[in-house]
Amino acid sequence: MALICRCLHQRLGSIQSIGVKCLSTSAVGKLDPLEPDGPKVETTIPGPKSKELLKQLDAIQQAGSVQFFTDYVKSQGNYIADVDGNVLLDVYTQIASVPIGYNHPKLVEAAKDQKNMSCFINRPALGLNPPHDWTEKLKASLLSVAPPGLNQVQTMMCGACSVEHGLKALFSAYMVKQRKGQPPTEEEMVSCINNLSPGNKPLSILSFKRALHGRTMGALACTHTTPTLKLDMPTPDWPVATFPALKFPLEDNVRENKEAEKRCLAEVRDLLETWNKKGKPVVGIITEPIQAEGGDNYASAEFFQGLQDICKENDIGFMIDEVQTGCGATGKFWAHEHFNLREPPDIVAFSKKMLTGGFYFSNWCRPDKPFKIFNTWVGDPSKMVLLEAVVNVIKEQNLLSNVVTTGDYMMSELKQLQKKYPGLLTNLRGLGTFIAVDLPDASKRDKLLRDIRNKGINMGSLWDQSVRFR
Amino acid sequence: MALICRCLHQRLGSIQSIGVKCLSTSAVGKLDPLEPDGPKVETTIPGPKSKELLKQLDAIQQAGSVQFFTDYVKSQGNYIADVDGNVLLDVYTQIASVPIGYNHPKLVEAAKDQKNMSCFINRPALGLNPPHDWTEKLKASLLSVAPPGLNQVQTMMCGACSVEHGLKALFSAYMVKQRKGQPPTEEEMVSCINNLSPGNKPLSILSFKRALHGRTMGALACTHTTPTLKLDMPTPDWPVATFPALKFPLEDNVRENKEAEKRCLAEVRDLLETWNKKGKPVVGIITEPIQAEGGDNYASAEFFQGLQDICKENDIGFMIDEVQTGCGATGKFWAHEHFNLREPPDIVAFSKKMLTGGFYFSNWCRPDKPFKIFNTWVGDPSKMVLLEAVVNVIKEQNLLSNVVTTGDYMMSELKQLQKKYPGLLTNLRGLGTFIAVDLPDASKRDKLLRDIRNKGINMGSLWDQSVRFR
């Protein structure tokens, strides 16, 4: 969100020879009055206390991914505090999952409010015994920011399970359509229980290379980033198409980009035909509006319109995964709003900054029967209390327009840096404050991230040689 | 837990002809002083307000599974209050997911404690930036009740994702062993990314008929209850074995039960051989210690010891899903503690009453590299705050022994009822307060549940003709 990174004054030295000199920050007016004035670096990061805590945690789980231990009591607004007394401007924001900064006063208020207490300590089976004000809560939070044209929503727990259940809604809706109002056969009903055909169908989903949709088996089958996630995992035989990954700056690559998108759409058509022919019909296409973990890869509005057209022609579902892009990061609440789609997508999955997982869905993806999309909790009312506060802050403080202004400013500053250091920073790309830029290679990128953290900025790596602002 | 259902005074009329007369309750000493003295029924359930709210919710999602809308502010202890002024003794407890009753004073205290505030409003990416006291929190909550012999734990979000990531830990550990210390080949690393062999392996997991492990694709492949969950879903070709499902009373079915278990173990061996031969090696066996949703199906300690032996012989993993059975319901903290296994299971998954998802794991299932078992949140510190309070209450109030006493009492009362109404109640089975009994058929069972709810008891159905106490 706009709050996350507002202003960067950069003096980026030659990474090639001497590493980063400095990437300091100064705030241009605080949206959270309690936020510190700037970063404070007391030790190298991770500092000695983080290192000691890491040893303790690693004794009870694989903790090799930990960067540093955090003092969440002292973290405030855009600033994350660690256990060694360091305070960093956070443009990584828990892998893009903090919507309005740490310890936002409105979240404190919501959590302290006595009338919300029961939401925090009683977790219902929402599919059986929802709280009295559940519909109201959904309307005040999720539905008040629903993607244009969608007015139904299912809550879930996290990104992966939102995607998984979205896919299931597609499988089910496809087969309901195929049966033309007829009930499933007795043979289908019996065989499916033990994983046998004809009840279990070899249906498939088309996903894109370099996509990341989650790490449970169905979501992972649509994920194509690194071997760390994928190696050795059994996976269904589902088609994987090339994603355009436009070259930047756009104005210098118009023809090349257009041709790349044309090729990709043709490949999608081919894959659909191939999979349908081999008896594994494709019931839907899933894509991120911007491929986030895969490298902040963009495609044009026309490309997404083309994808939707293909779905319409084939009478299959179009699912957009807004887990990383949703909740305003691109200057619109949902990134796919930039695409002027002729119709809303059939499924829009969310999580991260939305605090709750879930998905919006169109009428034909609504389960025809209860309990099809179901589990014990199907969400968490306490997250809805917090999301309502978040949504209100976004609206009241007009944060979407702030994202646009801040994003424009950041892009223009980064463009200048890119010009100043040709070959060092390339492929600058962004929408709102969702911004990435490439370094010459992974080792220079990693050095930049380390150095920059020790200068007071917590920033994330991205794909093989990029850094990201969130 | 013991708190849930303490005492039943039953006068069960003839269901066959006139339906249930009465199943009233009276508490034998309250563990929560704020709890009401008994149920209160003002309307048929669902009442008019619930029905009206259901219409509203159904307009924005498929809400056909909803039983009634709940007033969680007024619910207390073992009693759930609905929006129509009814107060029911709750022996269903949000599908067995409420550990110590509604609005327990210790949970209120934990949520109000200023030092916990930051856990409720800041949700970290625990794999990157855990809170300063994360290891302490894991030790005070999850590790303080770890299954004997297991001292490593990974948090997750819900039951399904706990199972999914437990399975992934098995796939990964199996292949690490197969490679005998060698790194994966370049070809494996590249091919896996787009779902191709040799990087993606056709590995499999053996599960049991009538098991329920979750509703995301991997967990669903191990789930075999009803077509509602399974129909039309694509699924991998994994082996499914018969679960013994002992006949009760045990003393009247000794030989039959023993033979059934022997047959089942032989079938497991056969399936392992078949799947290994067809190039889809089985890397592990997953089972519930009591098959819960599938009908409260039991097997003997010897059966589970036999399963573990098979795993040892085949050098594969033994995974126990304690999502519904864990947290004390059977009189031991983990149901598999009843089995006197020679070694701890390799993976023990939990969720529901544990409030957080996750799994304990043995050394050889520890991921060899970071980020293999990972997602944005991998858990939620706010749930750990609550779990710590729950665990303390269980220990301080010695609730496990209370479960045993209460369970014994309930079983003995239900045994008498079973004798009194032969043919009406059969197959009574239970461990602690985890109890089920069969009715003659589904329609009589459903009528009993409706009638009993209108008498003030919220009880769950189970499988095709059972009811359950949780």
Side-chain angles (χ1 to χ4, degrees):
Chain A
M1 280 305 311
L3 266 173
I4 305 308
C5 39
R6 286 206 221 98
C7 175
L8 289 170
H9 290 209
Q10 290 121 327
R11 290 182 292 115
L12 193 53
S14 161
I15 291 173
Q16 281 135 319
S17 58
I18 55 166
V20 182
K21 290 286 189 198
C22 178
L23 178 56
S24 68
T25 72
S26 80
V28 286
K30 295 177 194 173
L31 290 177
D32 176 351
L34 301 172
E35 198 177 57
D37 292 326
K40 184 178 80 169
V41 180
E42 307 264 344
T43 70
T44 53
I45 300 163
K49 284 188 191 158
S50 265
K51 283 182 184 162
E52 178 51 37
L53 288 171
L54 181 58
K55 267 188 226 158
Q56 294 169 21
L57 183 59
D58 200 62
I60 59 170
Q61 60 182 220
Q62 165 56 270
S65 56
V66 169
Q67 296 174 332
F68 56 83
F69 281 76
T70 306
D71 188 332
Y72 285 103
V73 178
K74 289 196 186 136
S75 300
Q76 191 68 41
N78 293 319
Y79 289 85
I80 185 168
D82 78 359
V83 290
D84 289 283
N86 303 297
V87 179
L88 310 178
L89 176 69
D90 191 4
V91 296
Y92 193 29
T93 57
Q94 312 295 328
I95 323 180
S97 70
V98 179
I100 53 170
Y102 298 103
N103 292 307
H104 193 286
K106 290 289 178 186
L107 296 183
V108 176
E109 199 180 302
K112 274 189 175 164
D113 190 337
Q114 183 55 31
K115 81 175 185 328
N116 294 328
M117 170 61 82
S118 88
C119 290
F120 285 94
I121 60 173
N122 302 300
R123 190 170 189 184
L126 286 166
L128 297 181
N129 301 130
H132 63 288
D133 56 354
W134 187 232
T135 309
E136 265 172 64
K137 275 214 158 58
L138 291 174
K139 285 184 176 170
S141 55
L142 288 169
L143 288 177
S144 81
V145 292
L150 295 179
N151 54 21
Q152 299 195 68
V153 71
Q154 175 64 56
T155 48
M156 278 289 152
M157 267 76 62
C158 70
C161 86
S162 306
V163 166
E164 289 269 352
H165 288 274
L167 298 179
K168 285 169 63 179
L170 288 180
F171 290 129
S172 176
Y174 177 87
M175 285 308 303
V176 167
K177 228 192 251 182
Q178 292 285 310
R179 290 197 182 94
K180 299 186 173 110
Q182 294 301 306
T185 66
E186 182 61 24
E187 201 193 348
E188 286 178 319
M189 297 285 275
V190 172
S191 59
C192 71
I193 293 177
N194 292 319
N195 298 7
L196 302 171
S197 65
N200 278 132
K201 297 274 184 294
L203 304 174
S204 66
I205 297 282
L206 184 141
S207 58
F208 287 94
K209 289 177 187 171
R210 293 175 67 168
L212 193 153
H213 296 290
R215 291 158 177 261
T216 50
M217 193 175 182
L220 189 60
C222 301
T223 290
H224 315 286
T225 50
T226 74
T228 308
L229 285 81
K230 300 279 292 179
L231 185 70
D232 300 333
M233 297 300 138
T235 194
D237 176 29
W238 291 356
V240 188
T242 310
F243 191 83
L246 300 181
K247 290 214 166 113
F248 289 82
L250 292 177
E251 55 274 24
D252 299 344
N253 296 281
V254 175
R255 211 182 64 189
E256 203 181 341
N257 284 336
K258 206 162 194 167
E259 278 168 10
E261 294 199 331
K262 226 169 122 183
R263 277 197 308 277
C264 291
L265 288 175
E267 189 184 335
V268 167
R269 283 180 205 279
D270 283 350
L271 287 169
L272 289 185
E273 203 184 315
T274 308
W275 255 256
N276 292 343
K277 269 189 191 155
K278 66 170 156 170
K280 298 179 177 176
V282 179
V283 308
I285 294 177
I286 184 171
T287 184
E288 296 150 279
I290 304 163
Q291 286 192 328
E293 295 300 314
D296 276 17
N297 304 322
Y298 288 76
S300 70
E302 292 71 32
F303 175 76
F304 289 101
Q305 292 165 12
L307 279 185
Q308 190 172 47
D309 290 343
I310 294 176
C311 290
K312 293 284 160 207
E313 286 160 28
N314 287 271
D315 207 10
I316 61 176
F318 185 39
M319 175 164 174
I320 296 201
D321 174 348
E322 293 253 20
V323 168
Q324 187 149 175
T325 49
C327 203
T330 67
K332 293 190 185 280
F333 203 92
W334 302 103
H336 77 267
E337 292 179 65
H338 291 281
F339 302 154
N340 301 310
L341 295 173
R342 279 174 271 277
E343 287 180 35
D346 298 298
I347 307 260
V348 176
F350 53 82
S351 186
K352 288 200 187 247
K353 284 191 282 295
M354 296 298 282
L355 306 180
T356 173
F359 59 93
Y360 300 96
F361 55 95
S362 63
N363 272 333
W364 82 269
C365 290
R366 181 179 163 110
D368 61 324
K369 293 208 172 65
F371 292 106
K372 273 196 167 180
I373 301 298
F374 187 87
N375 58 36
T376 300
W377 289 320
V378 285
D380 186 340
S382 73
K383 304 304 177 192
M384 219 57 60
V385 166
L386 299 175
L387 178 61
E388 190 177 334
V390 166
V391 164
N392 288 339
V393 167
I394 292 175
K395 288 176 182 170
E396 282 159 20
Q397 300 200 356
N398 203 9
L399 291 187
L400 290 187
S401 98
N402 197 28
V403 169
V404 175
T405 319
T406 308
D408 284 351
Y409 175 76
M410 285 176 66
M411 284 294 282
S412 108
E413 293 285 303
L414 284 164
K415 235 176 234 170
Q416 282 181 37
L417 274 180
Q418 198 177 230
K419 246 186 216 158
K420 196 170 164 191
Y421 301 104
L424 183 61
L425 296 180
T426 53
N427 214 18
L428 173 67
R429 52 211 186 273
L431 202 53
T433 55
F434 199 98
I435 294 173
V437 66
D438 289 359
L439 275 290
D441 58 43
S443 86
K444 291 201 176 75
R445 187 268 314 271
D446 293 344
K447 181 165 179 3
L448 171 72
L449 288 178
R450 273 196 312 275
D451 291 350
I452 226 169
R453 188 179 293 154
N454 289 321
K455 296 283 178 193
I457 299 181
N458 185 41
M459 201 170 183
S461 71
L462 182 68
W463 197 240
D464 48 6
Q465 62 188 74
S466 317
V467 296
R468 57 177 136 179
F469 301 82
R470 292 290 184 266
Chain B
M1 281 302 312
L3 266 175
I4 305 307
C5 38
R6 286 208 221 96
C7 174
L8 289 170
H9 290 210
Q10 290 120 327
R11 292 183 290 113
L12 193 53
S14 161
I15 291 172
Q16 281 136 320
S17 59
I18 56 166
V20 182
K21 290 287 190 197
C22 179
L23 180 55
S24 69
T25 73
S26 81
V28 287
K30 296 177 196 175
L31 290 177
D32 176 352
L34 301 172
E35 198 178 57
D37 293 325
K40 185 179 78 168
V41 180
E42 307 265 344
T43 70
T44 54
I45 300 162
K49 283 187 191 157
S50 265
K51 284 182 185 163
E52 178 50 37
L53 288 170
L54 181 58
K55 267 188 227 158
Q56 293 169 21
L57 182 59
D58 200 63
I60 59 171
Q61 61 182 219
Q62 164 57 271
S65 56
V66 169
Q67 296 174 334
F68 55 84
F69 281 77
T70 306
D71 187 331
Y72 285 102
V73 178
K74 290 195 187 137
S75 300
Q76 191 69 41
N78 293 319
Y79 289 85
I80 185 169
D82 79 359
V83 291
D84 288 283
N86 303 298
V87 178
L88 310 178
L89 176 69
D90 191 4
V91 296
Y92 193 28
T93 56
Q94 313 295 328
I95 323 180
S97 70
V98 180
I100 53 170
Y102 298 103
N103 292 306
H104 194 285
K106 290 290 178 186
L107 296 182
V108 175
E109 199 180 303
K112 273 190 175 164
D113 190 337
Q114 183 56 30
K115 80 173 184 330
N116 294 329
M117 170 61 82
S118 88
C119 290
F120 285 93
I121 59 174
N122 301 300
R123 190 169 188 182
L126 287 165
L128 297 181
N129 302 130
H132 63 287
D133 56 353
W134 187 232
T135 308
E136 266 171 64
K137 276 211 158 59
L138 290 174
K139 285 185 176 170
S141 56
L142 289 169
L143 288 177
S144 81
V145 292
L150 295 179
N151 54 19
Q152 299 196 68
V153 70
Q154 175 64 57
T155 48
M156 278 290 150
M157 267 75 62
C158 69
C161 86
S162 305
V163 167
E164 290 269 351
H165 287 275
L167 298 180
K168 284 168 64 177
L170 288 179
F171 290 129
S172 176
Y174 177 88
M175 286 307 303
V176 166
K177 226 192 254 182
Q178 292 285 310
R179 290 196 182 94
K180 300 187 172 106
Q182 293 302 304
T185 66
E186 182 62 23
E187 200 192 349
E188 286 178 318
M189 297 286 274
V190 171
S191 59
C192 71
I193 293 176
N194 293 319
N195 298 7
L196 300 171
S197 65
N200 279 130
K201 298 273 185 295
L203 304 174
S204 67
I205 297 282
L206 184 139
S207 58
F208 287 94
K209 289 176 188 172
R210 294 175 67 169
L212 194 153
H213 296 290
R215 292 158 177 261
T216 50
M217 192 173 182
L220 189 59
C222 300
T223 290
H224 315 286
T225 49
T226 73
T228 308
L229 285 80
K230 300 279 292 179
L231 184 70
D232 300 333
M233 297 299 137
T235 193
D237 175 29
W238 292 357
V240 188
T242 310
F243 191 83
L246 300 181
K247 289 214 167 110
F248 291 82
L250 292 178
E251 55 275 23
D252 299 344
N253 296 281
V254 175
R255 210 182 64 188
E256 202 181 341
N257 284 337
K258 206 161 195 169
E259 278 168 11
E261 294 199 330
K262 225 170 123 183
R263 276 197 308 278
C264 291
L265 288 174
E267 189 184 335
V268 167
R269 283 180 204 279
D270 283 350
L271 288 169
L272 289 184
E273 203 185 316
T274 310
W275 255 256
N276 291 343
K277 269 189 190 155
K278 67 169 158 171
K280 297 178 175 175
V282 178
V283 308
I285 293 178
I286 182 170
T287 184
E288 297 150 279
I290 304 164
Q291 287 192 328
E293 295 299 316
D296 276 18
N297 305 322
Y298 287 77
S300 70
E302 292 72 32
F303 175 76
F304 290 100
Q305 291 165 12
L307 279 185
Q308 190 172 45
D309 290 343
I310 294 175
C311 290
K312 293 284 159 207
E313 287 159 29
N314 287 272
D315 208 9
I316 61 176
F318 186 39
M319 174 164 174
I320 296 203
D321 174 349
E322 292 253 19
V323 168
Q324 187 149 173
T325 48
C327 203
T330 67
K332 295 191 184 278
F333 203 91
W334 302 103
H336 77 265
E337 293 180 64
H338 292 280
F339 302 154
N340 300 311
L341 295 173
R342 280 173 271 276
E343 286 180 34
D346 298 298
I347 307 260
V348 176
F350 54 82
S351 186
K352 288 198 186 248
K353 284 191 282 293
M354 296 297 283
L355 305 180
T356 173
F359 59 93
Y360 300 96
F361 55 96
S362 63
N363 272 333
W364 82 269
C365 290
R366 181 180 163 110
D368 61 325
K369 293 208 172 67
F371 292 105
K372 273 198 168 180
I373 301 298
F374 187 86
N375 58 36
T376 301
W377 289 321
V378 285
D380 186 340
S382 73
K383 305 302 179 192
M384 218 58 60
V385 166
L386 300 175
L387 178 61
E388 190 177 334
V390 166
V391 165
N392 288 339
V393 168
I394 291 176
K395 289 177 182 169
E396 282 159 18
Q397 301 200 356
N398 202 10
L399 291 187
L400 289 187
S401 100
N402 197 27
V403 169
V404 174
T405 318
T406 308
D408 284 351
Y409 175 74
M410 285 176 67
M411 284 295 282
S412 108
E413 293 285 305
L414 284 165
K415 236 177 232 171
Q416 283 181 35
L417 273 181
Q418 199 176 230
K419 247 186 215 160
K420 194 169 165 193
Y421 300 103
L424 184 61
L425 296 181
T426 54
N427 213 18
L428 173 66
R429 54 210 184 272
L431 203 53
T433 54
F434 200 98
I435 294 174
V437 65
D438 289 0
L439 276 289
D441 59 43
S443 86
K444 292 202 176 76
R445 186 267 315 273
D446 294 344
K447 182 165 175 7
L448 171 73
L449 288 178
R450 271 195 315 274
D451 291 350
I452 226 168
R453 189 180 292 154
N454 289 321
K455 297 281 178 193
I457 299 180
N458 185 42
M459 201 171 183
S461 71
L462 182 68
W463 198 241
D464 48 7
Q465 62 189 76
S466 318
V467 296
R468 58 177 136 180
F469 301 83
R470 293 290 184 265

